[in-house]
Amino acid sequence: MKNAITLALVALALCPVPALAEEAEPKWSLAIHGGAGTLDRAEMTPEKRAAYEAALQAALDAGRAVLAAGGSAMDAVKAAIIPMEDSPLFNAGRGAVFTWEGENELDASIMDGRDRSAGAVAGVKTVKNPILLADTVRTASPHVFMMGKGAEAFAAEKGFAVTPPEWFATPARREALERMKAEKLSALDVDLKFGTVGAVALDQSGNLAAGTSTGGMTGKRWGRIGDAPVIGAGTYADNRACAVSATGWGEYFLRVGVAHEICAKLRMAPAAGAQKIADDVMAEVAALGGDGGVILVTPAGEALYSFNTNGMYRGRATSAGVNEVAIFGGEEKASTTPDH
C-alpha cells in the first residue's frame, strides 16, 4: 500500500501543470477615433485614405507603445491624442474648425477610471495640445472644468507656451467657413465629418482612462460648447464599467449624456454586453435626431466601436494582437477581445 501511494505521488509530480494554473498574462486594450459622420466613398481617394490611415496608425502606435511597456492608461490616452491634435487632418488642435468670427476655439477633457478624477477645458485659443491642459486641470487644480481666458491664464501659470493662431489655422477649414457664410449653409452642410478625436485605454494594471479633444463645429457662435469637454457626455471612465470617448453632433450627446449612460448601464447590467449597450445608447441618440459614434474599452479587454453614421475614423489595438484602423462601416477584420 505504501509503495502504491509513493508511486502515485511521483506520477503526480511528473505531470505537467495544467494551463489553467499558469498565471494569466497582463492584458491591455486601446481604441481611438478621429471623427464620425457622413463620409463619401467616392471622395475617399486612395491618397486621402492612405493619409488618414497613416495618421490613425501613428496615434494607435503611440498609445500602444505606452501600454505594451506597462505604462498607465492615462499616459496612453494622452500619447494617442497628441498626434491627432497635431495633425491637420482632424478637427482638434491644428486643423480645428473656425468659429463664426474666424477663430479656432478648442475643447478637451480627460478622465481616470481609478478614482474618476477628471479635467476639462473649453474655448481655449492659445494651447497647442488642449488634452494636456485638461489633464493639468485634473492633477494641478481643485477644479474639473475651466474655460476661455481663465483656462489660458491657468495654462500660463503652469508653464504652457502660448501658441499663435497661425499654428491652428488651415486653408481647408477657412474655406469651409467662407463657403458656409457665402452660401448661407448650416454647420452640418460643411461638416460632413465630425473630426473630434479621442482615445480610451485599459492598462496592464486593470485601470481605464478616456480622453476627447475637438475644435467644435464650423461657424459656431455665442461661445457654443459641445459634448467633447463635458464629463459624462463626451468622455467618461470608471474602472467598474468602461471608458468611453464620443464624437458627433454634440447637442444630442449632451442631452443623452452618452458616455456616462453607457458606463452606467454596463455597470448596472453587465450581462447585457458592452456592444449591445453602446448600440442601444447610440440608437437613442439617433431617435432624437443626432448622429455620431463612440469608442469604448472594458475591464475585460474589449475594444469596441458603435456609430450610427456610415463611417468613423477609428482604430484599435490589444495585447492579443489586434491592430487595425478603419474608416467606413464593416471594415473591421479582427477579433476585439483579448483571449488570455
Side-chain angles (χ1 to χ4, degrees):
M1 183 67 178
K2 182 178 180 181
N3 288 339
I5 294 174
T6 301
L7 289 173
L9 290 173
V10 170
L12 182 61
L14 292 175
C15 287
V17 178
L20 290 176
E22 295 179 2
E23 185 177 349
E25 296 179 22
K27 61 176 177 286
W28 55 263
S29 296
L30 174 70
I32 64 171
H33 70 73
T38 306
L39 311 179
D40 189 341
R41 287 181 181 269
E43 293 185 2
M44 186 56 65
T45 64
E47 294 78 12
K48 184 180 291 188
R49 174 181 280 273
Y52 273 106
E53 289 180 344
L56 289 168
Q57 190 64 58
L60 198 62
D61 289 346
R64 178 174 57 183
V66 173
L67 295 171
S72 72
M74 288 294 292
D75 285 345
V77 163
K78 289 180 285 185
I81 288 177
I82 288 170
M84 293 190 283
E85 287 183 330
D86 290 345
S87 171
L89 294 176
F90 304 106
N91 174 21
R94 189 180 191 194
V97 299
F98 283 91
T99 67
W100 186 263
E101 293 77 20
E103 298 179 307
N104 305 113
E105 291 183 351
L106 314 171
D107 309 329
S109 61
I110 194 166
M111 189 167 185
D112 190 332
R114 291 175 296 186
D115 57 2
R116 283 174 284 168
S117 60
V121 293
V124 298
K125 305 175 185 178
T126 63
V127 179
K128 180 181 178 183
N129 295 114
I131 195 66
L132 295 181
L133 180 56
D135 194 45
T136 304
V137 171
R138 180 184 73 88
T139 60
S141 86
H143 307 305
V144 170
F145 204 166
M146 296 184 187
M147 64 173 286
K149 293 187 180 301
E152 291 174 350
F154 174 77
E157 286 185 13
K158 298 303 178 182
F160 282 77
V162 175
T163 303
E166 292 77 20
W167 165 258
F168 305 105
T170 60
R173 298 300 192 187
R174 191 176 295 280
E175 185 276 334
L177 176 66
E178 292 172 351
R179 181 158 51 91
M180 177 184 182
K181 288 184 173 182
E183 301 177 22
K184 295 182 172 57
L185 302 173
S186 73
L188 298 180
D189 291 321
V190 294
D191 282 341
L192 297 180
K193 175 184 74 68
F194 301 101
T196 295
V197 307
V200 290
L202 167 74
D203 63 31
Q204 294 186 32
S205 297
N207 295 315
L208 297 168
T212 313
S213 182
T214 190
M217 298 182 77
T218 297
K220 61 183 180 181
R221 305 177 75 174
W222 309 297
R224 179 264 184 190
I225 297 171
D227 66 301
V230 178
I231 300 301
T235 301
Y236 203 76
D238 183 342
N239 276 9
R240 300 172 298 175
C242 63
V244 178
S245 174
T247 174
W249 196 343
E251 279 67 17
Y252 293 92
F253 283 70
L254 282 164
R255 288 163 61 184
V256 175
V258 166
H260 181 269
E261 185 81 351
I262 291 171
C263 287
K265 286 179 179 293
L266 186 56
R267 181 165 61 88
M268 300 303 291
Q275 187 68 65
K276 184 180 187 306
I277 287 172
D279 291 345
D280 287 348
V281 173
M282 287 308 304
E284 186 178 349
V285 171
L288 293 177
D291 60 359
V294 296
I295 54 173
L296 65 151
V297 293
T298 70
E302 297 167 291
L304 306 172
Y305 318 122
S306 181
F307 51 98
N308 59 21
T309 57
N310 71 337
M312 180 168 74
Y313 293 97
R314 61 201 186 277
R316 58 187 167 193
T318 74
S319 53
V322 173
N323 177 40
E324 65 180 21
V325 295
I327 297 176
F328 294 99
E331 292 184 343
E332 290 80 15
K333 303 179 181 66
S335 169
T336 67
T337 306
D339 183 19
H340 289 310

